[in-house]
Every structure is written in structure tokens, then in C-alpha cells.
Amino acid sequence: MYQTKIAGLGKYVPENVVTNDDLSKIMDTNDEWITERTGIKERRHIKKGDGNSTAVMGVKAAKIAIERSGISKDDIDLIVFATLSPDYYFPGCGVQVQEMLDINTCPALDVRNQCSGFVYAISVADQFIKTGMYKNVLVIGSENHSGGLDFSTRGRSVSVIFGDGAGAAVLTRSDHNGQGILSTHLHSEGKHALELSLKGPSTNYWVPEIIKDNPQGDDIPYYPYMNGQFVFKNAVQRFSEVINEGLQANGLEVSDIDMLIPHQANLRISQFIQQKFKLNDDQVYNNIQRYGNTTAASIPIALTEAWEEGRVKDEDIVVLAAFGSGFTWGSAIIKW
């Protein structure tokens, strides 16, 4: 079995900054209410006509990751794209990335595990590399939430949380045993699927346009639904379990963690986990304050920033953990 290492990281977020005060002008909310419940101060939203889409943002992040990896785009053997907000209902974003990057006819697949998407995608890529099937895999997490959110007071409990952006990683085969991705751990519990869900379609025919053309009253299945308290309760339990599972599988202790990068769902969840594991501020990376919840993009954006800031260094034990719709959750244990 081969070893998998992360050779390059990249991120992209739209230039358009939307603050809590900006949202208070279009719905009944305020900065104090949003900050207290989520920790979020601002997020990035695509602006109509700026040229961005889920696939386009993924490509922008991927170009940075590929350049930093030191390999050529033509060395990419597989593309794995994680998103809940594809540009089209079908085909998926993976093939769009292959075309936009002008990569030869390599395979491309899409992962639909929402907030856990990047951890699932990393695990898929890791298995392909470990077994020798592929040598270099491009993994992307990208989301365009803003076009499909309910920016009225009715939707404020959900819409204030989400932002747009993309992160990418190039995974490659390594000969250094004991370094790179040590293990990944994935779970699901489908009986709670509808507690965090969007029943309507997700296409380039965006939600506001669908509602305008097809009035549905207040019972609209095209906007996200979230049972916030129930999700929070399950998230803190599953985060703890899957982090411990990963540590135990590798004979590690909590004290061995140099950097925990949790999915940026809610700052209160991250703080709860930090306190439960008795980690200090230097051991946990959060940027939800600036970007909101970017779902499948949140971990690669945060991991990229942590690395850029010098907070992820060689030999560090890095733990990625996520929980989200499905319910799905997972972790990855990495020795950098």
C-alpha cells in the first residue's frame, strides 16, 4: 500500500463581502443576533455577472493548489469534486473542471455529502492512491449558496449562516511511510436526513426565479430547512466520536493534536468541541467569522489559510472533522 500526502493547497472566495449589517437591511435581524448564535460577522457572496459559479470557483482554487504542488495539471489522474450546489442538476462539476483546466480525458467524479463532502472526497482520493490506481488526485470543495437562499425574515435562521467559496488540494503518492494521510473515518445516519435538507431542485434556474414563476406560499421546498437545535446536539456528539475514533486508530492522544480543523458550521460547535477536548486556541483553526458556512469548501479553505499562516508545519498531526446533512460525518488524521 502506498502513502498519500497533500502536496498543494488553494482557496478562492468571491470579492463581494456581505456583513451582518448588510443582511439587517433586507431582513429582520442584526449583528448581535447573528454573532451570538453563530459567531459569523461576514461572508462572501457571488454577485450576478461576476463570472463565478461553483465550478469556476473550484477551478480558481485548483489552479493555486496545482501550482503549489509542483506538478503539472497534465499529471492529474483523477478529479474528485465535493459540492451540494452544482452548476447543473447534471452533469456534475467534476467534468466541468476537467474541461476548464484543459486536462486530458481523466476520470472525474462528484461527491454529494454536503458539509462532510471534503472529508469524504479526501477519503475517496486516499483509497485510489493507496491502492496504486492513481498517483495524483485533485480534490475540490466548492459551494455557491447565495443564489438559493431565502433572504427574507422567514429564512433568516438559515440564510445568515451560509457563504460562497472554494478550496482545493492536490493529493499525491508518497514514499514516506508514517507521513501523509494516516487514516480516514466515515459514517452516516440516514434516519435524520430531513432534519437538514433541501427538497427542491438545484440547477442554474435559481430558487428566487422558480418561486417567482411558481408561487408556493410559505410552504416552499426549494429553500434549505434546518432543525437547528437537533443538528447542534448531534453535531457535537458525532464530532467527538469521530475525532476519538481517528486518534485511537493511530495510537494517538488528544495531546498529540497540533491542529484541529473542524468543518465551519457554527463557531459555537467548534468552541464546544475545543472545550471538551481541552485544546488551546493554537490547536484549533476557525475562520467562520469571515466566511460563514461554506459547506464542502469550509475545511479546504480553513486548511489552506492555516497552512498559509504557518500554523500547519512539517511533522504536525492535523485532524480534519466534519458533520452535516445526511446525517453524515467523518474525520481524517494527517501527519504533515
Side-chain angles (χ1 to χ4, degrees):
M1 298 286 283
Y2 295 100
Q3 198 73 31
T4 305
K5 72 173 183 179
I6 296 177
L9 293 166
K11 74 175 192 346
Y12 174 81
V13 292
E15 294 181 3
N16 181 37
V17 178
V18 179
T19 67
N20 293 344
D21 289 335
D22 291 333
L23 293 179
S24 71
K25 297 172 184 176
I26 58 175
M27 63 176 73
D28 184 12
T29 190
N30 57 66
D31 176 67
E32 182 181 4
W33 189 90
I34 298 171
T35 302
E36 179 181 344
R37 287 162 176 77
T38 69
I40 299 167
K41 302 296 289 185
E42 61 187 40
R43 70 288 292 148
R44 303 296 181 96
H45 285 172
I46 287 174
K47 294 184 73 172
K48 285 285 187 180
D50 70 1
N52 281 312
S53 72
T54 301
V56 168
M57 290 190 297
V59 166
K60 290 177 178 179
K63 287 180 177 178
I64 297 170
I66 292 170
E67 181 180 358
R68 288 172 170 173
S69 73
I71 70 170
S72 164
K73 65 178 179 60
D74 297 318
D75 294 323
I76 299 295
D77 301 311
L78 169 68
I79 298 167
V80 185
F81 198 113
T83 187
L84 65 74
S85 53
D87 290 355
Y88 309 114
Y89 195 76
F90 65 87
C93 291
V95 296
Q96 292 178 265
V97 169
Q98 178 268 327
E99 190 274 333
M100 291 179 190
L101 288 176
D102 192 26
I103 297 174
N104 199 16
T105 57
C106 77
L109 63 88
D110 289 56
V111 171
R112 294 295 302 276
N113 287 90
Q114 296 67 252
C115 296
S116 303
F118 189 78
V119 172
Y120 266 73
I122 284 285
S123 182
V124 169
D126 181 41
Q127 307 314 310
F128 274 118
I129 292 174
K130 275 187 164 66
T131 57
M133 182 74 176
Y134 298 118
K135 183 177 180 181
N136 300 304
V137 182
L138 172 61
V139 180
I140 298 171
S142 181
E143 303 289 2
N144 174 9
H145 288 301
S146 60
L149 296 173
D150 182 358
F151 287 108
S152 70
T153 297
R154 175 186 55 206
R156 64 178 177 176
S157 62
V158 174
S159 298
V160 301
I161 297 172
F162 293 98
D164 303 337
V170 173
L171 275 60
T172 191
R173 185 186 302 167
S174 172
D175 296 325
H176 298 288
N177 290 329
Q179 282 192 304
I181 297 176
L182 303 181
S183 64
T184 58
H185 308 270
L186 309 176
H187 298 274
S188 71
E189 191 174 23
K191 69 180 181 180
H192 299 311
L194 297 185
E195 301 298 340
L196 179 52
S197 60
L198 193 157
K199 297 180 181 179
S202 174
T203 70
N204 275 343
Y205 184 41
W206 278 117
V207 174
E209 295 157 341
I210 295 173
I211 301 306
K212 181 180 178 181
D213 294 344
N214 304 279
Q216 299 286 334
D218 289 333
D219 184 19
I220 301 175
Y222 305 111
Y223 286 131
Y225 166 78
M226 180 173 63
N227 183 345
Q229 290 185 338
F230 188 77
V231 171
F232 188 102
K233 179 182 177 181
N234 279 266
V236 294
Q237 176 186 348
R238 299 307 191 184
F239 262 112
S240 299
E241 290 175 356
V242 82
I243 291 170
N244 279 322
E245 179 184 2
L247 293 174
Q248 291 168 11
N250 293 282
L252 299 170
E253 303 291 337
V254 172
S255 59
D256 293 315
I257 297 175
D258 294 296
M259 180 57 66
L260 168 64
I261 299 188
H263 160 57
Q264 304 294 295
N266 186 311
L267 185 60
R268 308 309 165 212
I269 295 175
S270 296
Q271 290 172 334
F272 185 95
I273 298 302
Q274 178 177 342
Q275 292 169 4
K276 182 171 183 177
F277 282 91
K278 298 180 180 179
L279 300 172
N280 61 50
D281 290 344
D282 291 334
Q283 293 173 285
V284 183
Y285 193 88
N286 289 300
N287 61 5
I288 191 172
Q289 305 93 321
R290 300 191 300 278
Y291 302 127
N293 180 349
T294 55
T295 309
S298 79
I299 287 180
I301 290 174
L303 179 59
T304 300
E305 286 199 338
W307 176 80
E308 289 173 341
E309 295 171 13
R311 294 182 60 180
V312 173
K313 303 175 292 296
D314 287 350
E315 304 295 321
D316 279 357
I317 296 296
V318 179
V319 177
L320 313 180
F323 174 90
S325 173
F327 286 155
T328 61
W329 62 99
S331 65
I333 312 299
I334 304 168
K335 186 171 184 181
W336 208 259

